Tab-separated table of all heavy atoms in Angstrom:
chain	number	residue	atom	x	y	z
S	1	ASN	N	3.071	-41.222	18.770
S	1	ASN	CA	2.436	-40.684	19.957
S	1	ASN	C	2.667	-39.150	19.992
S	1	ASN	O	3.823	-38.726	20.196
S	1	ASN	CB	3.040	-41.322	21.184
S	1	ASN	CG	2.341	-40.841	22.501
S	1	ASN	OD1	1.739	-39.783	22.564
S	1	ASN	ND2	2.406	-41.714	23.544
S	2	PRO	N	1.636	-38.339	19.797
S	2	PRO	CA	1.785	-36.895	19.713
S	2	PRO	C	2.309	-36.258	21.041
S	2	PRO	O	3.010	-35.283	21.025
S	2	PRO	CB	0.477	-36.348	19.345
S	2	PRO	CG	-0.498	-37.452	19.758
S	2	PRO	CD	0.241	-38.712	19.597
S	3	ILE	N	1.964	-36.871	22.119
S	3	ILE	CA	2.379	-36.316	23.443
S	3	ILE	C	3.885	-36.344	23.580
S	3	ILE	O	4.488	-35.411	24.142
S	3	ILE	CB	1.715	-37.132	24.601
S	3	ILE	CG1	0.219	-36.950	24.585
S	3	ILE	CG2	2.268	-36.761	25.950
S	3	ILE	CD1	-0.571	-37.824	25.536
S	4	LEU	N	4.518	-37.339	23.120
S	4	LEU	CA	5.997	-37.497	23.190
S	4	LEU	C	6.647	-36.387	22.378
S	4	LEU	O	7.614	-35.803	22.843
S	4	LEU	CB	6.421	-38.854	22.693
S	4	LEU	CG	5.789	-40.058	23.453
S	4	LEU	CD1	6.374	-41.349	22.857
S	4	LEU	CD2	6.061	-39.981	24.937
S	5	HIS	N	6.143	-36.074	21.222
S	5	HIS	CA	6.679	-35.017	20.403
S	5	HIS	C	6.459	-33.712	21.059
S	5	HIS	O	7.374	-32.810	21.062
S	5	HIS	CB	6.057	-35.014	18.976
S	5	HIS	CG	6.420	-36.183	18.152
S	5	HIS	ND1	7.635	-36.290	17.469
S	5	HIS	CD2	5.775	-37.359	17.946
S	5	HIS	CE1	7.699	-37.476	16.861
S	5	HIS	NE2	6.609	-38.111	17.097
S	6	ASN	N	5.329	-33.496	21.645
S	6	ASN	CA	5.014	-32.228	22.371
S	6	ASN	C	6.031	-32.047	23.596
S	6	ASN	O	6.564	-31.006	23.829
S	6	ASN	CB	3.608	-32.183	22.877
S	6	ASN	CG	3.229	-30.931	23.554
S	6	ASN	OD1	3.145	-29.887	22.978
S	6	ASN	ND2	3.006	-31.028	24.893
S	7	ASN	N	6.244	-33.141	24.297
S	7	ASN	CA	7.146	-33.101	25.487
S	7	ASN	C	8.577	-32.777	25.035
S	7	ASN	O	9.287	-32.016	25.706
S	7	ASN	CB	7.045	-34.365	26.277
S	7	ASN	CG	5.780	-34.514	27.021
S	7	ASN	OD1	5.016	-33.541	27.149
S	7	ASN	ND2	5.463	-35.709	27.466
S	8	LEU	N	8.994	-33.382	23.965
S	8	LEU	CA	10.356	-33.073	23.453
S	8	LEU	C	10.414	-31.637	23.028
S	8	LEU	O	11.413	-30.929	23.312
S	8	LEU	CB	10.687	-33.967	22.258
S	8	LEU	CG	12.004	-33.725	21.565
S	8	LEU	CD1	13.163	-33.839	22.556
S	8	LEU	CD2	12.226	-34.656	20.381
S	9	GLY	N	9.361	-31.128	22.354
S	9	GLY	CA	9.345	-29.718	21.995
S	9	GLY	C	9.475	-28.794	23.157
S	9	GLY	O	10.149	-27.821	23.140
S	10	SER	N	8.795	-29.149	24.306
S	10	SER	CA	8.839	-28.296	25.492
S	10	SER	C	10.231	-28.208	26.087
S	10	SER	O	10.653	-27.098	26.508
S	10	SER	CB	7.859	-28.771	26.573
S	10	SER	OG	8.273	-30.014	27.095
S	11	VAL	N	10.966	-29.309	26.100
S	11	VAL	CA	12.319	-29.219	26.681
S	11	VAL	C	13.293	-28.574	25.660
S	11	VAL	O	14.237	-27.923	26.110
S	11	VAL	CB	12.769	-30.625	27.121
S	11	VAL	CG1	13.318	-31.512	25.988
S	11	VAL	CG2	13.794	-30.539	28.225
S	12	LEU	N	13.108	-28.770	24.375
S	12	LEU	CA	13.962	-28.070	23.412
S	12	LEU	C	13.737	-26.553	23.512
S	12	LEU	O	14.698	-25.797	23.360
S	12	LEU	CB	13.598	-28.534	22.005
S	12	LEU	CG	14.045	-29.972	21.674
S	12	LEU	CD1	13.425	-30.432	20.294
S	12	LEU	CD2	15.568	-30.064	21.564
S	13	ASP	N	12.541	-26.134	23.810
S	13	ASP	CA	12.303	-24.719	24.015
S	13	ASP	C	13.106	-24.195	25.218
S	13	ASP	O	13.699	-23.133	25.134
S	13	ASP	CB	10.763	-24.484	24.222
S	13	ASP	CG	10.401	-23.042	24.414
S	13	ASP	OD1	11.160	-22.159	24.018
S	13	ASP	OD2	9.353	-22.789	25.030
S	14	LEU	N	13.102	-24.958	26.281
S	14	LEU	CA	13.888	-24.593	27.458
S	14	LEU	C	15.375	-24.579	27.162
S	14	LEU	O	16.166	-23.855	27.833
S	14	LEU	CB	13.611	-25.556	28.620
S	14	LEU	CG	12.173	-25.446	29.176
S	14	LEU	CD1	11.919	-26.670	30.105
S	14	LEU	CD2	11.996	-24.141	29.944
S	15	LEU	N	15.790	-25.398	26.200
S	15	LEU	CA	17.222	-25.389	25.818
S	15	LEU	C	17.531	-24.326	24.708
S	15	LEU	O	18.621	-24.330	24.200
S	15	LEU	CB	17.601	-26.790	25.298
S	15	LEU	CG	17.711	-27.879	26.353
S	15	LEU	CD1	17.704	-29.268	25.723
S	15	LEU	CD2	18.937	-27.685	27.182
S	16	VAL	N	16.522	-23.488	24.420
S	16	VAL	CA	16.600	-22.413	23.440
S	16	VAL	C	16.938	-23.001	22.047
S	16	VAL	O	17.775	-22.469	21.297
S	16	VAL	CB	17.673	-21.346	23.855
S	16	VAL	CG1	17.358	-19.990	23.088
S	16	VAL	CG2	17.575	-21.018	25.337
S	17	GLU	N	16.323	-24.108	21.759
S	17	GLU	CA	16.446	-24.755	20.364
S	17	GLU	C	15.063	-24.603	19.746
S	17	GLU	O	14.369	-25.531	19.500
S	17	GLU	CB	16.881	-26.189	20.567
S	17	GLU	CG	18.249	-26.343	21.212
S	17	GLU	CD	18.613	-27.813	21.387
S	17	GLU	OE1	18.258	-28.634	20.528
S	17	GLU	OE2	19.371	-28.147	22.337
S	18	GLN	N	14.695	-23.306	19.431
S	18	GLN	CA	13.363	-23.013	19.016
S	18	GLN	C	12.995	-23.647	17.693
S	18	GLN	O	11.855	-24.106	17.517
S	18	GLN	CB	13.144	-21.494	18.931
S	18	GLN	CG	12.548	-20.878	20.184
S	18	GLN	CD	13.524	-20.581	21.233
S	18	GLN	OE1	14.672	-20.241	20.921
S	18	GLN	NE2	13.164	-20.685	22.498
S	19	LYS	N	13.886	-23.704	16.715
S	19	LYS	CA	13.565	-24.305	15.411
S	19	LYS	C	13.236	-25.768	15.588
S	19	LYS	O	12.221	-26.245	15.004
S	19	LYS	CB	14.765	-24.176	14.488
S	19	LYS	CG	14.462	-24.692	13.074
S	19	LYS	CD	15.636	-24.435	12.155
S	19	LYS	CE	15.349	-24.991	10.757
S	19	LYS	NZ	16.501	-24.802	9.835
S	20	GLU	N	14.023	-26.482	16.413
S	20	GLU	CA	13.722	-27.912	16.620
S	20	GLU	C	12.443	-28.082	17.381
S	20	GLU	O	11.640	-28.990	17.193
S	20	GLU	CB	14.899	-28.572	17.334
S	20	GLU	CG	16.161	-28.662	16.528
S	20	GLU	CD	16.966	-27.373	16.497
S	20	GLU	OE1	16.566	-26.357	17.137
S	20	GLU	OE2	18.056	-27.349	15.869
S	21	SER	N	12.207	-27.176	18.315
S	21	SER	CA	10.979	-27.195	19.121
S	21	SER	C	9.742	-26.992	18.244
S	21	SER	O	8.738	-27.705	18.373
S	21	SER	CB	11.065	-26.048	20.163
S	21	SER	OG	9.884	-26.094	21.016
S	22	LEU	N	9.791	-26.019	17.326
S	22	LEU	CA	8.704	-25.785	16.382
S	22	LEU	C	8.387	-27.090	15.615
S	22	LEU	O	7.248	-27.484	15.415
S	22	LEU	CB	9.081	-24.717	15.387
S	22	LEU	CG	8.846	-23.270	15.773
S	22	LEU	CD1	9.436	-22.348	14.751
S	22	LEU	CD2	7.321	-23.031	15.889
S	23	ASN	N	9.439	-27.788	15.139
S	23	ASN	CA	9.240	-29.023	14.361
S	23	ASN	C	8.544	-30.084	15.175
S	23	ASN	O	7.685	-30.806	14.696
S	23	ASN	CB	10.593	-29.522	13.879
S	23	ASN	CG	11.228	-28.648	12.795
S	23	ASN	OD1	10.568	-27.937	12.119
S	23	ASN	ND2	12.544	-28.731	12.689
S	24	CYS	N	8.892	-30.171	16.467
S	24	CYS	CA	8.232	-31.191	17.340
S	24	CYS	C	6.778	-30.876	17.525
S	24	CYS	O	5.927	-31.794	17.450
S	24	CYS	CB	8.959	-31.179	18.693
S	24	CYS	SG	10.585	-31.915	18.656
S	25	TYR	N	6.463	-29.612	17.751
S	25	TYR	CA	5.051	-29.251	17.921
S	25	TYR	C	4.236	-29.508	16.643
S	25	TYR	O	3.104	-29.947	16.697
S	25	TYR	CB	4.857	-27.822	18.385
S	25	TYR	CG	5.467	-27.461	19.766
S	25	TYR	CD1	6.120	-26.348	20.032
S	25	TYR	CD2	5.281	-28.404	20.789
S	25	TYR	CE1	6.663	-26.053	21.293
S	25	TYR	CE2	5.822	-28.122	22.041
S	25	TYR	CZ	6.518	-27.000	22.274
S	25	TYR	OH	7.014	-26.732	23.521
S	26	GLN	N	4.865	-29.199	15.486
S	26	GLN	CA	4.208	-29.419	14.283
S	26	GLN	C	3.958	-30.901	13.987
S	26	GLN	O	2.915	-31.309	13.465
S	26	GLN	CB	5.014	-28.786	13.118
S	26	GLN	CG	4.943	-27.279	13.121
S	26	GLN	CD	5.985	-26.602	12.209
S	26	GLN	OE1	6.973	-27.207	11.859
S	26	GLN	NE2	5.748	-25.337	11.886
S	27	LYS	N	4.952	-31.736	14.419
S	27	LYS	CA	4.704	-33.201	14.295
S	27	LYS	C	3.589	-33.674	15.198
S	27	LYS	O	2.768	-34.487	14.782
S	27	LYS	CB	6.021	-33.916	14.690
S	27	LYS	CG	7.082	-33.875	13.609
S	27	LYS	CD	8.375	-34.578	14.085
S	27	LYS	CE	9.484	-34.401	13.087
S	27	LYS	NZ	10.781	-34.986	13.585
S	28	ALA	N	3.536	-33.088	16.406
S	28	ALA	CA	2.442	-33.452	17.335
S	28	ALA	C	1.080	-33.148	16.757
S	28	ALA	O	0.150	-33.963	16.813
S	28	ALA	CB	2.631	-32.716	18.699
S	29	ILE	N	0.996	-31.967	16.149
S	29	ILE	CA	-0.355	-31.558	15.529
S	29	ILE	C	-0.618	-32.401	14.300
S	29	ILE	O	-1.813	-32.721	14.069
S	29	ILE	CB	-0.253	-30.063	15.201
S	29	ILE	CG1	-0.291	-29.217	16.477
S	29	ILE	CG2	-1.395	-29.663	14.264
S	29	ILE	CD1	0.072	-27.822	16.338
S	30	LYS	N	0.394	-32.764	13.547
S	30	LYS	CA	0.163	-33.662	12.375
S	30	LYS	C	-0.441	-34.989	12.830
S	30	LYS	O	-1.245	-35.550	12.127
S	30	LYS	CB	1.463	-33.838	11.625
S	30	LYS	CG	1.314	-34.559	10.285
S	30	LYS	CD	2.614	-34.592	9.523
S	30	LYS	CE	2.435	-35.308	8.195
S	30	LYS	NZ	3.727	-35.389	7.420
S	31	LEU	N	0.062	-35.478	13.967
S	31	LEU	CA	-0.418	-36.768	14.480
S	31	LEU	C	-1.790	-36.641	15.095
S	31	LEU	O	-2.564	-37.576	15.170
S	31	LEU	CB	0.612	-37.291	15.499
S	31	LEU	CG	1.927	-37.773	14.943
S	31	LEU	CD1	2.990	-37.947	16.000
S	31	LEU	CD2	1.723	-39.130	14.124
S	32	ASP	N	-2.108	-35.449	15.668
S	32	ASP	CA	-3.392	-35.230	16.287
S	32	ASP	C	-3.770	-33.698	16.100
S	32	ASP	O	-3.309	-32.855	16.826
S	32	ASP	CB	-3.317	-35.537	17.839
S	32	ASP	CG	-4.643	-35.232	18.522
S	32	ASP	OD1	-5.597	-34.905	17.881
S	32	ASP	OD2	-4.680	-35.499	19.737
S	33	ASN	N	-4.580	-33.516	15.117
S	33	ASN	CA	-4.938	-32.125	14.775
S	33	ASN	C	-5.921	-31.455	15.717
S	33	ASN	O	-6.384	-30.346	15.489
S	33	ASN	CB	-5.451	-32.046	13.306
S	33	ASN	CG	-6.744	-32.731	13.092
S	33	ASN	OD1	-7.401	-33.260	14.035
S	33	ASN	ND2	-7.159	-32.877	11.849
S	34	ARG	N	-6.240	-32.163	16.820
S	34	ARG	CA	-7.095	-31.574	17.861
S	34	ARG	C	-6.269	-31.428	19.210
S	34	ARG	O	-6.914	-31.292	20.242
S	34	ARG	CB	-8.346	-32.401	18.091
S	34	ARG	CG	-9.218	-32.494	16.817
S	34	ARG	CD	-10.507	-33.133	17.121
S	34	ARG	NE	-11.360	-32.416	18.007
S	34	ARG	CZ	-12.105	-31.350	17.696
S	34	ARG	NH1	-12.131	-30.975	16.444
S	34	ARG	NH2	-12.835	-30.770	18.602
S	35	TYR	N	-5.020	-31.463	19.127
S	35	TYR	CA	-4.156	-31.428	20.338
S	35	TYR	C	-3.970	-30.008	20.776
S	35	TYR	O	-3.031	-29.269	20.305
S	35	TYR	CB	-2.839	-32.102	20.003
S	35	TYR	CG	-1.921	-32.400	21.165
S	35	TYR	CD1	-2.294	-32.130	22.467
S	35	TYR	CD2	-0.712	-33.088	20.937
S	35	TYR	CE1	-1.413	-32.405	23.522
S	35	TYR	CE2	0.141	-33.388	21.947
S	35	TYR	CZ	-0.236	-33.055	23.276
S	35	TYR	OH	0.602	-33.334	24.269
S	36	VAL	N	-4.795	-29.535	21.668
S	36	VAL	CA	-4.859	-28.126	22.053
S	36	VAL	C	-3.497	-27.661	22.662
S	36	VAL	O	-3.058	-26.566	22.334
S	36	VAL	CB	-5.970	-27.902	23.057
S	36	VAL	CG1	-5.887	-26.493	23.702
S	36	VAL	CG2	-7.326	-28.104	22.447
S	37	GLU	N	-2.915	-28.429	23.530
S	37	GLU	CA	-1.649	-28.030	24.171
S	37	GLU	C	-0.557	-27.779	23.139
S	37	GLU	O	0.193	-26.832	23.302
S	37	GLU	CB	-1.235	-29.091	25.182
S	37	GLU	CG	-0.024	-28.608	25.966
S	37	GLU	CD	0.415	-29.620	27.044
S	37	GLU	OE1	-0.395	-30.591	27.343
S	37	GLU	OE2	1.556	-29.541	27.540
S	38	ALA	N	-0.476	-28.598	22.099
S	38	ALA	CA	0.550	-28.445	21.108
S	38	ALA	C	0.290	-27.175	20.306
S	38	ALA	O	1.281	-26.452	19.987
S	38	ALA	CB	0.544	-29.683	20.171
S	39	TYR	N	-0.955	-26.804	20.037
S	39	TYR	CA	-1.215	-25.541	19.340
S	39	TYR	C	-0.787	-24.354	20.191
S	39	TYR	O	-0.179	-23.399	19.688
S	39	TYR	CB	-2.710	-25.434	19.035
S	39	TYR	CG	-3.176	-26.198	17.828
S	39	TYR	CD1	-4.046	-27.268	17.968
S	39	TYR	CD2	-2.796	-25.854	16.514
S	39	TYR	CE1	-4.453	-28.025	16.840
S	39	TYR	CE2	-3.216	-26.581	15.437
S	39	TYR	CZ	-4.037	-27.670	15.606
S	39	TYR	OH	-4.451	-28.393	14.494
S	40	ILE	N	-1.049	-24.408	21.527
S	40	ILE	CA	-0.646	-23.331	22.401
S	40	ILE	C	0.880	-23.220	22.489
S	40	ILE	O	1.424	-22.114	22.419
S	40	ILE	CB	-1.295	-23.522	23.795
S	40	ILE	CG1	-2.773	-23.283	23.700
S	40	ILE	CG2	-0.680	-22.537	24.803
S	40	ILE	CD1	-3.565	-23.641	24.973
S	41	ASN	N	1.570	-24.389	22.598
S	41	ASN	CA	2.996	-24.339	22.618
S	41	ASN	C	3.597	-23.804	21.335
S	41	ASN	O	4.579	-23.045	21.348
S	41	ASN	CB	3.519	-25.759	22.938
S	41	ASN	CG	3.301	-26.170	24.333
S	41	ASN	OD1	3.118	-25.310	25.247
S	41	ASN	ND2	3.296	-27.467	24.598
S	42	LEU	N	2.962	-24.141	20.215
S	42	LEU	CA	3.448	-23.642	18.911
S	42	LEU	C	3.225	-22.138	18.887
S	42	LEU	O	4.093	-21.368	18.372
S	42	LEU	CB	2.678	-24.341	17.800
S	42	LEU	CG	3.190	-24.185	16.395
S	42	LEU	CD1	4.636	-24.550	16.237
S	42	LEU	CD2	2.347	-25.090	15.454
S	43	ALA	N	2.077	-21.654	19.326
S	43	ALA	CA	1.832	-20.229	19.397
S	43	ALA	C	2.860	-19.535	20.241
S	43	ALA	O	3.345	-18.432	19.864
S	43	ALA	CB	0.390	-19.981	19.944
S	44	MET	N	3.188	-20.073	21.397
S	44	MET	CA	4.139	-19.430	22.314
S	44	MET	C	5.550	-19.309	21.720
S	44	MET	O	6.269	-18.366	21.898
S	44	MET	CB	4.155	-20.207	23.647
S	44	MET	CG	2.874	-20.038	24.420
S	44	MET	SD	2.777	-21.103	25.950
S	44	MET	CE	4.059	-20.288	26.944
S	45	ILE	N	5.941	-20.372	20.941
S	45	ILE	CA	7.251	-20.309	20.232
S	45	ILE	C	7.260	-19.174	19.209
S	45	ILE	O	8.210	-18.375	19.157
S	45	ILE	CB	7.549	-21.631	19.554
S	45	ILE	CG1	7.864	-22.700	20.595
S	45	ILE	CG2	8.745	-21.509	18.565
S	45	ILE	CD1	9.181	-22.508	21.263
S	46	HIS	N	6.159	-19.110	18.399
S	46	HIS	CA	6.060	-18.008	17.435
S	46	HIS	C	6.094	-16.634	18.123
S	46	HIS	O	6.643	-15.699	17.629
S	46	HIS	CB	4.850	-18.209	16.573
S	46	HIS	CG	5.001	-19.200	15.480
S	46	HIS	ND1	5.927	-19.003	14.430
S	46	HIS	CD2	4.449	-20.356	15.248
S	46	HIS	CE1	5.868	-20.034	13.605
S	46	HIS	NE2	4.975	-20.899	14.039
S	47	GLU	N	5.420	-16.574	19.261
S	47	GLU	CA	5.411	-15.305	20.027
S	47	GLU	C	6.870	-14.937	20.455
S	47	GLU	O	7.235	-13.735	20.332
S	47	GLU	CB	4.532	-15.486	21.208
S	47	GLU	CG	4.329	-14.199	22.086
S	47	GLU	CD	3.392	-14.406	23.235
S	47	GLU	OE1	2.685	-15.484	23.287
S	47	GLU	OE2	3.421	-13.570	24.187
S	48	LYS	N	7.578	-15.888	20.937
S	48	LYS	CA	8.961	-15.627	21.319
S	48	LYS	C	9.822	-15.181	20.148
S	48	LYS	O	10.706	-14.330	20.297
S	48	LYS	CB	9.636	-16.886	21.913
S	48	LYS	CG	9.099	-17.244	23.304
S	48	LYS	CD	9.740	-18.499	23.858
S	48	LYS	CE	9.226	-18.878	25.208
S	48	LYS	NZ	9.778	-20.183	25.673
């Protein structure tokens, strides 16, 4: 379920665990390559 990986990524970001957060968003996109929210979250991590 890509949504679950995205949600884990969002809370890891809040815990300042950016590397792990990146991995979660990448897993979400691998599971659903049209998952817009995960692409945006991944972009925001790279921006930080």
Side-chain angles (χ1 to χ4, degrees):
N1 186 333
I3 294 171
L4 303 180
H5 292 279
N6 183 69
N7 288 346
L8 177 57
S10 70
V11 82
L12 289 169
D13 182 23
L14 292 168
L15 288 165
V16 199
E17 298 178 31
Q18 265 85 32
K19 183 177 179 182
E20 293 81 1
S21 181
L22 273 172
N23 290 337
C24 289
Y25 295 140
Q26 287 166 342
K27 285 178 186 175
I29 288 166
K30 187 174 181 180
L31 290 164
D32 179 1
N33 64 6
R34 300 187 63 81
Y35 191 0
V36 171
E37 185 178 346
Y39 282 112
I40 290 173
N41 287 338
L42 193 52
M44 291 173 70
I45 289 286
H46 279 295
E47 184 179 345
K48 288 178 182 178

